[in-house]
Amino acid sequence: MKKILFNPFEKYSETRLFIFGMAAAVLSTYLSYIFNARFDGAIDMHLVKNITLKQAITDNIINIASLFATLYAIGFFINKKVRPIDILNTVLVARSIYCIMPFTHFAADTLEEFAVKTAKINPLDPAPISFTATEIITISIVALLGIITLIWTIALLYNGFKTATNLKTITHKILFAIAIILAEVLSILFITALN
């Protein structure tokens, strides 16, 4: 079970991984549209008041392309025999975990109330602000879900990239981290430029 959840790249064929990853990309795009969730970076998501179907599709395409481009470039530098399909499958499968996050929309009102109260905190005035139990529980659950999703996504990206490129050295691991950061920056820049 652990291998299926964290390293399906060694267990399943490239065709099955691709079909699953594409289905998940379509599903996450649909869910982001339905629940007003913007995947406005390669590895992040924000709830918004409104999103068009065009924005949801564009966001996901840019995120997949940014991750693919940076990971493939670094992968090719590490191992000239890296196959594009292996990197694409890595990106698609890793991003499939983000299908979970749009459901946090059900907590949007509570999160907004929490944000408004937090914005009113004045560091010079130590007057306490009270948060309701619902706000604390909701923010804790959403934060935990976000952290788990991010860790799981990065684990899938790492394991897929490792399998695709025969990643071994510390330098390779640092290059992998740089590729993820670069993909995040590129995706934010492109998404911002197009909106």
Side-chain angles (χ1 to χ4, degrees):
M1 184 61 134
K2 183 178 173 186
K3 188 168 278 281
I4 292 171
L5 293 175
F6 291 100
N7 198 1
F9 312 102
E10 292 180 352
K11 184 166 177 57
Y12 296 106
S13 70
E14 66 192 43
T15 305
R16 289 181 88 173
L17 291 169
F18 181 75
I19 291 169
F20 172 78
M22 287 302 293
V26 170
L27 179 61
S28 68
T29 300
Y30 177 72
L31 291 173
S32 71
Y33 172 66
I34 295 299
F35 293 117
N36 292 322
R38 294 268 337 241
F39 292 106
D40 51 1
I43 55 173
D44 62 27
M45 184 213 80
H46 296 95
L47 297 174
V48 293
K49 295 283 185 203
N50 194 15
I51 182 173
T52 65
L53 184 57
K54 180 183 172 194
Q55 287 173 319
I57 292 168
T58 303
D59 289 355
N60 240 352
I61 289 171
I62 289 172
N63 291 327
I64 291 166
S66 297
L67 278 167
F68 172 78
T70 57
L71 288 174
Y72 184 73
I74 297 296
F76 190 78
F77 176 77
I78 292 170
N79 181 351
K80 304 283 187 255
K81 294 180 183 179
V82 66
R83 299 182 322 153
I85 188 66
D86 293 334
I87 299 298
L88 181 59
N89 284 344
T90 294
V91 170
L92 291 173
V93 170
R95 285 194 48 80
S96 71
I97 305 308
Y98 279 98
C99 288
I100 298 166
M101 290 306 293
F103 291 102
T104 60
H105 177 75
F106 292 115
D109 291 339
T110 305
L111 294 172
E112 190 171 331
E113 289 171 24
F114 186 87
V116 168
K117 285 183 181 179
T118 305
K120 291 180 181 177
I121 295 174
N122 180 355
L124 301 175
D125 179 16
I129 294 178
S130 62
F131 296 105
T132 66
T134 303
E135 290 171 333
I136 293 170
I137 291 169
T138 302
I139 196 72
S140 299
I141 291 170
V142 171
L144 184 62
L145 184 62
I147 291 167
I148 290 169
T149 303
L150 180 62
I151 291 169
W152 194 359
T153 300
I154 295 203
L156 283 167
L157 284 170
Y158 176 79
N159 288 328
F161 188 75
K162 182 179 176 183
T163 301
T165 63
N166 200 21
L167 179 89
K168 289 189 177 175
T169 69
I170 295 292
T171 302
H172 294 164
K173 293 173 185 176
I174 292 169
L175 289 172
F176 166 78
I178 290 169
I180 300 296
I181 294 167
L182 187 57
E184 177 70 8
V185 170
L186 287 173
S187 63
I188 290 170
L189 291 174
F190 283 121
I191 289 168
T192 303
L194 291 175
N195 289 311

